[in-house]
Amino acid sequence: MIRTLFAGAGLVALALAGAAQAADLPSRRAPQSDYYAPPVFTWTGFYLGLNAGYGWGSFTNGSEQLFGKPSGFVGGITGGFNYQAAPNIVIGLEGDWDLTSINNTNQMPFFAFSGQGSLNSIATIRPRIGYAAGRALVFVTGGLAMGSVSTSVNDWRAVPFFGSSSSFQAGFAVGAGLEYAFTDHISAKAEYLFTSLGAKEVFVWSPDWPRVGINTSTLRTGINYRF
């Protein structure tokens, strides 16, 4: 009986020693960590925003003699889509529509002649391509431009003539800029845009019969919400 008890005690001691040694062995499971990689920022997605700035330019095809060099403020809405095609390449399509106060009045002494020209609004649809460095994007752009142009003349120099005209004219736009994403959803930009609207004849068969086009340069800033 005593021998049996000693034998049992020995077996228990051996089992405990084996368990202790097993506990000291390194675990085969991968070490656990609370660290996780943050999501990678991407420019891909739709966006909508506001823009504002200042524009200046000149009427073309000789009509600058009647209407001079206009200037004024611009402001409106912007929308588009970006696709990050490669780690540093972003392509997209952007459209905007701005109301403007770009205008000028030419006045001769003693009210012999008065000519007024205005770019009332302008819209563009433009592809964009840019180089992305993280949250910063440098881009160039170019495409279609469309605008509402109005002119008026009061001419007392020979045969008195009074006329006014408003037309919708098309042309092109080119530009470049820089955009920076402060958060995953909010970005701000600064850009230069040159637009040229094709000429249209106004006041036909009158003493003042010009072909009116307009070129403008615009510096503007904007803020976009990215979906």
Side-chain angles (χ1 to χ4, degrees):
M1 182 67 178
I2 294 175
R3 291 180 179 177
T4 301
L5 291 175
F6 277 115
L11 290 174
V12 171
L14 288 174
L16 292 174
Q21 291 179 356
D24 292 336
L25 292 175
S27 172
R28 294 183 179 179
R29 292 180 297 177
Q32 297 183 0
S33 172
D34 293 333
Y35 173 80
Y36 65 94
V40 177
F41 175 79
T42 177
W43 284 95
T44 298
F46 290 94
Y47 59 92
L48 187 66
L50 301 172
N51 73 79
Y54 188 81
W56 66 96
S58 64
F59 288 92
T60 61
N61 299 287
S63 60
E64 68 272 16
Q65 297 177 6
L66 298 177
F67 310 117
K69 296 183 180 296
S71 61
F73 293 96
V74 303
I77 59 174
T78 304
F81 177 79
N82 288 322
Y83 176 69
Q84 193 149 353
N88 299 109
I89 303 299
V90 176
I91 58 176
L93 182 68
E94 182 171 279
D96 51 52
W97 178 74
D98 286 0
L99 295 175
T100 94
S101 64
I102 298 176
N103 69 90
N104 185 68
T105 299
N106 272 356
Q107 183 77 54
M108 293 185 66
F110 308 108
F111 303 98
F113 173 84
S114 175
Q116 194 270 337
S118 301
L119 177 63
N120 303 311
S121 65
I122 190 160
T124 69
I125 301 175
R126 299 168 283 105
R128 295 200 314 172
I129 183 168
Y131 179 87
R135 292 180 178 270
L137 176 66
V138 180
F139 63 86
V140 294
T141 182
L144 175 66
M146 302 158 285
S148 171
V149 180
S150 64
T151 55
S152 64
V153 166
N154 294 320
D155 191 352
W156 294 86
R157 293 173 295 180
V159 177
F161 171 73
F162 316 98
S164 63
S165 173
S166 182
S167 59
F168 188 77
Q169 296 169 221
F172 67 90
V174 292
L178 170 67
E179 188 167 1
Y180 187 82
F182 292 96
T183 72
D184 288 350
H185 296 289
I186 303 295
S187 64
K189 70 176 181 179
E191 67 179 352
Y192 166 81
L193 201 63
F194 173 83
T195 60
S196 179
L197 300 183
K200 184 174 182 178
E201 291 185 337
V202 299
F203 314 138
V204 179
W205 304 114
S206 76
D208 303 293
W209 180 359
R211 296 185 71 248
V212 179
I214 184 171
N215 294 339
T216 59
S217 293
T218 304
L219 288 174
R220 63 184 185 179
T221 60
I223 185 167
N224 295 323
Y225 182 84
R226 306 176 60 254
F227 297 94

